[in-house]
Amino acid sequence: MGRACLWQVDFMILLKNISKIYPPNIAAVRDVHLHIRPGEFVSIVGQSGTGKSTLAKMLYAEERPTKGKIEVGGWDITHIKNSDVPLLRRQIGVVFQDFKLLPRKTVFENVSFALEVSGATNKRIKEVVPQVLKIVNLHEKGHRYPGQLSGGEQQRVSVARALVHRPKILVADEPTGNLDTFNTQEIMELLKKINEFGTTVVLVTHNREVVNALRKRVITLSDGEIVSDVEEGRYKL
Amino acid sequence: MTTVFRAVKFALQNFIRNLWLSLITVSMMMFTLLTINMVVMLNLVADNAISYVENKVEVSVYFKEGVSEERVATAASYLRSLAQVQDVRTVTPEQALERFKERHKRDEKILASLDEVGKNPFGPTLVVKAKDPSGFPFILESLDHPQFKNDIREKDFDNFEALIGQIRNTVSQVRLFGIGLSVIFLFLALLVVVNTVRMGIFIHREEIGVMRLVGASSTFIRAPFLIEAVLYTVLAVALTAAITLPIISVLDPKLAVLFEGTPGGLIGVFQKEGWKLLLGEAVILSLVSMAATAFAMRRYLKI
Ligand SMILES: Nc1ncnc2c1ncn2[C@@H]1O[C@H](COP(=O)(O)OP(=O)(O)OP(=O)(O)O)[C@@H](O)[C@H]1O
Ligand SMILES: [Mg+2]
């Protein structure tokens, strides 16, 4: 079904003439062309309601494009079958503003849950979970519950969970939206670290300082269209 | 294997987190099964009761005093040659008197008139058992044949036909009621299953959302609910068995007379056949409740 090895392709993410029209007639994304190479760190910015989240959702197949073509790691996911979506989700880690942690599970359990439900062996779970908790620097707080963590720590748990499948892509939709400056910086450092390990990062954000400090590629959306796409860009609106 | 184990684990977690509804579901299923078992037992008991009564039906043919044994024997062998006759026994006059008294012990007039006679009015007697109670009229008529008619003083036939008819009637009404009740219970049980699954999906919406996000297959998300349906069924069947067994052991001595021909009596029947009934119920109810679960998931689980 055309799933090439993710590291052998020129483009990790490839959008051709992508449009998304929500019923009845809301054009959230219009005719977007976008190529993202493996290992890139791309920020997507734009005002509220300009289709940033919709674009992100099409990457992890939460939404299907109305028009155009999407490839992820050489795999055409434009019309991906529902039964193939889990395979895609094991190759794309996703992080949200609201963390989506399970309050009645510990940090360790929240992270291992992702492996458990996708059929990993117990051996692998014992191996991987401490590793990713170490990456996000929470290996000593594995027994805590989300309610006993700061917002930044909770977001780090959700990043850890997004990493358990060793994804080639990490999509972060306003990961710092709920965080103060200090925790925002911590998360950004973490995302940069993950990107340095070779993971392609797609960051959707509103945060001017974050984007300016990054000095990476910035794509600006307005009204569902790309209005600028700059290497080492700055937040401008 | 790990996956199956985990799906079972999640099913158990669902069961416990949703304990109240789980218990209601199990009880509804149990009521359904109990009602069905009652109907089955009623049928069994009724069948035995009817054949018990049928076996008791006999025609007594009382010959006049002084009729020679030879003539009685001829009549007996004639009767044996009839297709409707199962068995013919010869009874001496003394035994015949006893039998008559026994049969009419509640009828004082007859007993009084017997006393009046003062001596044994009976001659030799034949006791005829029919293969089927419907054969009696023919047997009786055949004895009106002139060859025998003058030798015979009286033909005595306890007509249980009416009684059997009554049993049949009552049983079929009770059975209809029981079947109706089982259908209603089954319907309610399935409604409860659908609702329980809906609640389960609602309670676990966060988990399910995360599962979808991190790449759990939809089979894996659905499996625990289906396993839960089987779990409900197995528990319900176990409880039903636990309730049915004592009921049977209480009934067994009371119904012993009806199960004379069956080794082990009612308990014996249950020990021999009961597991088939329970297994059948478990399989069918599992399938039906899994179907109800699948229906609920189609409606309420968007994956
Ligand atoms: N499921 C949906 N059905 C209908 N319309 C939708 C749906 N999701 C989003 N929209 C609309 O599509 C447009 C783009 O929404 P989207 O969430 O992509 O914007 P956004 O750029 O992420 O905004 P924000 O910065 O506020 O998160 C908006 O007008 C929104 O109302
Ligand atoms: Mg958004």
Side-chain angles (χ1 to χ4, degrees), chain B residues 24-57:
Chain B
I24 293 177
T25 314
V26 170
S27 337
M28 281 312 300
M29 287 181 164
M30 189 188 72
F31 287 135
T32 312
L33 293 179
L34 279 176
T35 323
I36 291 172
N37 285 359
M38 290 301 163
V39 172
V40 171
M41 252 192 316
L42 175 80
N43 270 338
L44 188 68
V45 171
D47 283 352
N48 276 278
I50 288 169
S51 63
Y52 171 79
V53 172
E54 282 177 354
N55 268 326
K56 292 276 167 214
V57 181

Side-chain angles (χ1 to χ4, degrees), chain B residues 9-144:
Chain B
K9 191 181 90 181
F10 285 165
L12 287 171
Q13 280 173 356
N14 283 2
F15 187 92
I16 290 162
R17 279 178 70 175
N18 208 353
L19 189 64
W20 185 233
L21 267 182
S22 303
L23 292 182
I24 293 177
T25 314
V26 170
S27 337
M28 281 312 300
M29 287 181 164
M30 189 188 72
F31 287 135
T32 312
L33 293 179
L34 279 176
T35 323
I36 291 172
N37 285 359
M38 290 301 163
V39 172
V40 171
M41 252 192 316
L42 175 80
N43 270 338
L44 188 68
V45 171
D47 283 352
N48 276 278
I50 288 169
S51 63
Y52 171 79
V53 172
E54 282 177 354
N55 268 326
K56 292 276 167 214
V57 181
E58 293 166 342
V59 179
S60 299
V61 184
Y62 306 100
F63 287 82
K64 287 178 183 154
E65 247 177 308
V67 172
S68 74
E69 271 177 36
E70 202 193 332
R71 293 186 68 87
V72 177
T74 316
S77 66
Y78 166 72
L79 285 169
R80 281 197 189 95
S81 72
L82 296 177
Q84 288 81 353
V85 170
Q86 187 178 3
D87 182 36
V88 180
R89 260 182 311 133
T90 317
V91 179
T92 63
E94 294 72 36
Q95 286 169 327
L97 178 63
E98 280 313 302
R99 277 175 60 89
F100 187 84
K101 279 186 178 166
E102 178 64 26
R103 272 189 182 197
H104 298 282
K105 66 180 168 201
R106 260 175 258 125
D107 201 331
E108 307 220 332
K109 254 191 208 159
I110 291 186
L111 289 181
S113 63
L114 204 59
D115 280 345
E116 236 165 69
V117 174
K119 60 175 177 111
N120 185 356
F122 290 101
T125 303
L126 290 179
V127 177
V128 185
K129 252 189 190 170
K131 284 186 179 132
D132 193 272
S134 63
F136 280 118
F138 180 81
I139 296 171
L140 291 174
E141 258 171 54
S142 69
L143 290 172
D144 288 340

Side-chain angles (χ1 to χ4, degrees), chain B residues 180-199:
Chain B
L181 206 61
S182 328
V183 169
I184 291 170
F185 274 140
L186 182 64
F187 182 71
L188 288 178
L190 293 182
L191 275 185
V192 171
V193 167
V194 169
N195 194 50
T196 305
V197 173
R198 195 177 82 162
M199 274 307 290

